[in-house]
Amino acid sequence: METEGFATLDMIHHLLLTWVLFHISVEWQNLQPSDSGCYWCAVEISGTGILDAGYYVYLTVQSDPDASVMSSSVSAHEGDDVRVQCFYTSGYQNDFKHWCRYKDQRCFTKKKTDTSQNSSVQISDDGESSFTVLMTGLTLSDSGWYFCSVGDLQVHVHLIVTKPEPKALSSIAKTPSSASGTDLMNKEHFCLSKN
């Protein structure tokens, strides 16, 4: 069924139904930036040599990023500390380093020679390829989205702060006999564990 310049409702329904029934996967390995470009993904269903359905895909292959983090999601308990390491390439060594929270756009800044302005958030820069953010005394309200920023680049990090597990009772301890001969072996002592 071929029409020129328009498609009938039956054709559109047939193509949509056919497109839903078929799943096409393409796997590429060892991609290089030179592989970037526009690609056409199409399917021939009717066997006539005419493509029945398809779409364009633009693929961008980048080399190693200029900024990155070790982990894009970090978790800690309330009251604990957390470290986030942010990496950058040599072209950004002398730029300001920032740790910012999306929610309120609050940022902590570090230039190579100074320290950040808040004792609960400390930024240290190795001056070569990474800076580390240390957040101390975390609270539940610290949970949320943050980003490492160097120059005009940003890398997103999700921080999850949870309540600590309740402290459990330690195992039952038996006290050995005393020197005076009193048998204390059957007396049990309960101790709360404290870290």
Side-chain angles (χ1 to χ4, degrees), residues 77-78 80 163-170 191-195:
H77 291 298
E78 186 177 31
D80 288 349
K163 286 191 171 287
E165 298 295 321
K167 302 283 185 197
L169 290 175
S170 67
C191 302
L192 288 177
S193 65
K194 186 167 186 154
N195 294 341

Side-chain angles (χ1 to χ4, degrees), residues 67-76 82-87 98-103 131-133 135 138 142-149 153-161:
S68 61
V69 290
M70 184 64 72
S71 177
S72 60
S73 181
V74 291
S75 300
V82 71
R83 288 181 195 277
V84 176
Q85 190 170 12
C86 307
F87 299 95
H98 305 278
W99 175 249
C100 302
R101 182 176 180 150
Y102 277 104
K103 181 178 174 180
F131 67 96
T132 302
V133 177
M135 294 180 70
L138 292 170
D142 288 325
S143 290
W145 284 97
Y146 292 80
F147 59 88
C148 288
S149 173
L153 305 174
Q154 296 178 355
V155 182
H156 311 282
V157 178
H158 190 221
L159 173 62
I160 303 164
V161 181

Side-chain angles (χ1 to χ4, degrees), residues 172-178 182-189:
I172 300 171
K174 300 221 179 214
T175 308
S177 300
S178 68
T182 308
D183 184 11
L184 297 176
M185 288 299 284
N186 293 327
K187 298 211 179 208
E188 296 175 344
H189 298 275

Side-chain angles (χ1 to χ4, degrees), residues 20-190:
V20 170
L21 294 176
F22 291 97
H23 175 80
I24 300 171
S25 296
V26 176
E27 181 181 322
W28 282 329
Q29 296 179 352
N30 302 319
L31 288 170
Q32 301 297 319
S34 61
D35 293 318
S36 295
C38 192
Y39 292 86
W40 172 248
C41 182
V43 62
E44 176 191 336
I45 301 166
S46 61
T48 63
I50 299 172
L51 299 177
D52 294 304
Y55 63 93
Y56 285 98
V57 175
Y58 191 85
L59 174 69
T60 302
V61 181
Q62 297 178 329
S63 57
D64 290 336
D66 288 333
S68 61
V69 290
M70 184 64 72
S71 177
S72 60
S73 181
V74 291
S75 300
H77 291 298
E78 186 177 31
D80 288 349
D81 303 342
V82 71
R83 288 181 195 277
V84 176
Q85 190 170 12
C86 307
F87 299 95
Y88 55 87
T89 58
S90 60
Y92 294 91
Q93 288 176 338
N94 295 319
D95 288 7
F96 283 97
K97 313 305 185 292
H98 305 278
W99 175 249
C100 302
R101 182 176 180 150
Y102 277 104
K103 181 178 174 180
D104 53 15
Q105 295 298 305
R106 194 168 123 198
C107 291
F108 300 94
T109 304
K110 168 111 173 76
K111 182 76 172 138
K112 189 174 175 181
T113 56
D114 64 8
T115 57
S116 66
Q117 65 268 31
N118 184 322
S119 61
S120 66
V121 176
Q122 299 167 16
I123 301 175
S124 59
D125 184 6
D126 71 4
E128 294 180 20
S129 63
S130 73
F131 67 96
T132 302
V133 177
L134 171 64
M135 294 180 70
T136 60
L138 292 170
T139 64
L140 294 175
S141 65
D142 288 325
S143 290
W145 284 97
Y146 292 80
F147 59 88
C148 288
S149 173
V150 56
D152 59 348
L153 305 174
Q154 296 178 355
V155 182
H156 311 282
V157 178
H158 190 221
L159 173 62
I160 303 164
V161 181
T162 58
K163 286 191 171 287
E165 298 295 321
K167 302 283 185 197
L169 290 175
S170 67
S171 59
I172 300 171
K174 300 221 179 214
T175 308
S177 300
S178 68
S180 65
T182 308
D183 184 11
L184 297 176
M185 288 299 284
N186 293 327
K187 298 211 179 208
E188 296 175 344
H189 298 275
F190 293 92

